[in-house]
Amino acid sequence: MTSKDMQNLTANNISNQSQSHASKNSISTSTASIANLDGLIEAQVSFMQHWLREQAQSLTVQAWQWLGEQPISRYIKSDDLQYIIKDWLLSQPMSEVMRKDIRDILHSVIYHPINDTVPLSELIDDGQIDTVAHYIGSHEQQRSILIHTLIGNETFADLLTQTLYHAINDFMENTLDKAGGVGKLMKMGRSSFEKATNRNLDEKLQTYLNRNIKDLARRAEANAQEHLSNEEVARLLITGWARIKDQPISHIQTYLNADPDNGSIYHLEASVQQSYERLRVSPYLHSLITIGVTTWYDAHQTDTFASLAASLNIDEAAISQLSIALLPLAHDAIDSPWFGAHIREMLQAFYNQATITDSFTFNE
């Protein structure tokens, strides 16, 4: 805006003030000049706010067009990304408010009535199951380890031994108690056996069961390894999926405790949070972040912001739609007292410069 433009704007907006001041001979020239300058500033503040309101959407699109042409490396460095992730995002624990929001959202989603009418096949289709099943079945080494873990595990054999021992022992005790004289005779025989062999019958029974069950487990494992071919494993997985795929998603709820304050969701979130708290300060995680950010930045530092946004499916149409949605916020911000005060302060500082003050005379 030239000096002449400003003087014309002053004449249009504060003519009434000038005429009023001219009729009052008691007001000095300097006082009149200050009043006119204040009027000029107020007129400019009003004009700028109105202009920005009218141009807010187009300015947003133009700003995006300009930003989209700029290379990422001009404004963002790899160290900046490292700082944002390590020293900002990971420096503070997740707030309790956010944790509660996560639990509430999970509870609402999992227990929503819509899950009663939607089958599991809505989440996973048959093609995905086929792919996963054949992938698992084709890994013979992993399949062998899985079978050994499930069937050949010595801990499982020990557990089965103890279970059978207790079952046999309970049966014998209950039978002998009900057998009357015969039961007492059998108990005496047991006592005599233990004295003669210097061994506890219970111990001998457990040893016998353990030895034979482990042998049976080894035979079962060998049989499973022999007969569970790649195709058979894949077929079992596909058959298992076929049995449950038509069940509603809400069937998952049967495996959960629905208590919102101390149920499965609470414990799941707490477990994830515990892992997060440990990892966010872990040198290992920070090393992985350094490697990941460096790899990404080296590959994309010459890209523009527009190409980066395009990789996230954000284009000019999306920005335009976003600008429309944010217009009420932009208008309220432009009309706010704090924004007007900043413009006013800026203009006052501008006109208070000696070179500017000497260029204008506000005569009545």
Side-chain angles (χ1 to χ4, degrees):
M1 184 178 292
T2 64
S3 299
K4 184 176 181 180
D5 292 333
M6 291 190 213
Q7 290 175 339
N8 289 336
L9 182 61
T10 302
N12 292 331
N13 288 279
I14 60 173
S15 59
N16 292 334
Q17 292 181 350
S18 299
Q19 293 173 1
S20 175
H21 291 165
S23 63
K24 298 179 180 179
N25 295 327
S26 60
I27 300 177
S28 64
T29 302
S30 60
T31 302
S33 297
I34 293 175
N36 288 333
L37 179 58
D38 288 343
L40 172 62
I41 291 175
E42 291 302 321
Q44 289 179 301
V45 169
S46 178
F47 173 80
M48 292 175 67
Q49 288 180 311
H50 176 76
W51 187 87
L52 288 173
R53 277 180 57 87
E54 295 295 319
Q55 301 295 323
Q57 184 179 355
S58 61
L59 285 174
T60 301
V61 174
Q62 291 172 23
W64 166 250
Q65 291 172 339
W66 173 84
L67 179 63
E69 298 173 354
Q70 310 308 310
I72 295 173
S73 58
R74 180 177 297 177
Y75 305 102
I76 300 177
K77 305 302 180 186
S78 179
D79 290 343
D80 298 329
L81 296 176
Q82 304 280 3
Y83 173 81
I84 291 173
I85 298 174
K86 294 180 182 178
D87 298 334
W88 183 43
L89 293 178
L90 298 180
S91 64
Q92 299 294 330
M94 190 179 298
S95 69
E96 183 55 38
V97 173
M98 182 175 291
R99 293 184 59 184
K100 185 178 184 303
D101 287 342
I102 292 174
R103 292 194 296 268
D104 291 344
I105 291 172
L106 284 176
H107 190 274
S108 298
V109 169
I110 292 175
Y111 292 97
H112 195 280
I114 194 176
N115 293 324
D116 295 332
T117 59
V118 179
L120 289 170
S121 56
E122 185 80 9
L123 301 179
I124 307 174
D125 61 37
D126 293 344
Q128 290 175 290
I129 294 297
D130 288 346
T131 300
V132 172
H134 286 94
Y135 177 82
I136 294 176
S138 66
H139 288 69
E140 296 184 9
Q141 182 179 1
Q142 286 75 12
R143 188 182 71 253
S144 177
I145 293 173
L146 178 62
I147 292 174
H148 176 73
T149 301
L150 294 176
I151 302 176
N153 192 324
E154 289 192 5
T155 301
F156 175 75
D158 292 338
L159 178 62
L160 186 57
T161 297
Q162 292 297 319
T163 302
L164 289 175
Y165 162 74
H166 287 299
I168 294 173
N169 193 56
D170 287 344
F171 172 78
M172 292 297 295
E173 289 294 332
N174 292 331
T175 301
L176 292 177
D177 288 340
K178 296 177 181 179
V182 176
K184 292 179 180 180
L185 182 62
M186 293 181 67
K187 287 185 177 181
M188 289 177 61
R190 173 177 177 173
S191 177
S192 299
F193 171 83
E194 291 179 347
K195 288 179 180 180
T197 61
N198 198 27
R199 294 190 65 183
N200 186 286
L201 185 61
D202 290 343
E203 180 184 345
K204 188 170 181 63
L205 177 60
Q206 289 191 52
T207 301
Y208 176 82
L209 288 173
N210 186 267
R211 181 175 64 251
N212 284 275
I213 287 176
K214 286 186 176 180
D215 183 59
L216 289 174
R218 285 192 292 269
R219 292 182 184 181
E221 179 185 353
N223 188 54
Q225 297 285 13
E226 180 181 353
H227 294 287
L228 285 180
S229 63
N230 293 353
E231 294 74 15
E232 183 66 15
V233 170
R235 187 185 68 79
L236 288 174
L237 292 172
I238 294 173
T239 301
W241 167 248
R243 292 175 179 173
I244 66 171
K245 69 178 184 179
D246 293 328
Q247 293 183 357
I249 296 175
S250 60
H251 184 69
I252 298 174
Q253 299 171 9
T254 59
Y255 302 98
L256 302 175
N257 181 345
D259 186 351
D261 296 322
N262 194 34
S264 301
I265 292 176
Y266 180 90
H267 292 293
L268 176 62
E269 186 277 331
S271 178
V272 173
Q273 177 66 18
Q274 185 178 7
S275 298
Y276 170 75
E277 283 299 304
R278 185 177 66 256
L279 285 174
R280 74 179 182 83
V281 296
S282 168
Y284 170 71
L285 179 61
H286 284 242
S287 297
L288 292 183
I289 290 173
T290 299
I291 295 170
V293 169
T294 301
T295 300
W296 180 87
Y297 190 83
D298 289 345
H300 295 282
Q301 60 180 314
T302 58
D303 292 351
T304 63
F305 282 96
S307 60
L308 174 62
S311 67
L312 301 174
N313 296 320
I314 300 175
D315 54 15
E316 189 170 320
I319 295 297
S320 178
Q321 186 64 33
L322 179 63
S323 68
I324 294 175
L326 294 178
L327 270 181
L329 175 62
H331 289 168
D332 288 346
I334 291 169
D335 292 339
S336 65
W338 66 266
F339 185 71
H342 280 296
I343 296 177
R344 190 175 296 105
E345 182 180 358
M346 178 184 66
L347 291 173
Q348 288 172 343
F350 172 78
Y351 287 116
N352 284 337
Q353 298 178 97
T355 54
I356 301 300
T357 302
D358 294 341
S359 300
F360 293 92
T361 55
F362 296 93
N363 296 323
E364 298 179 75

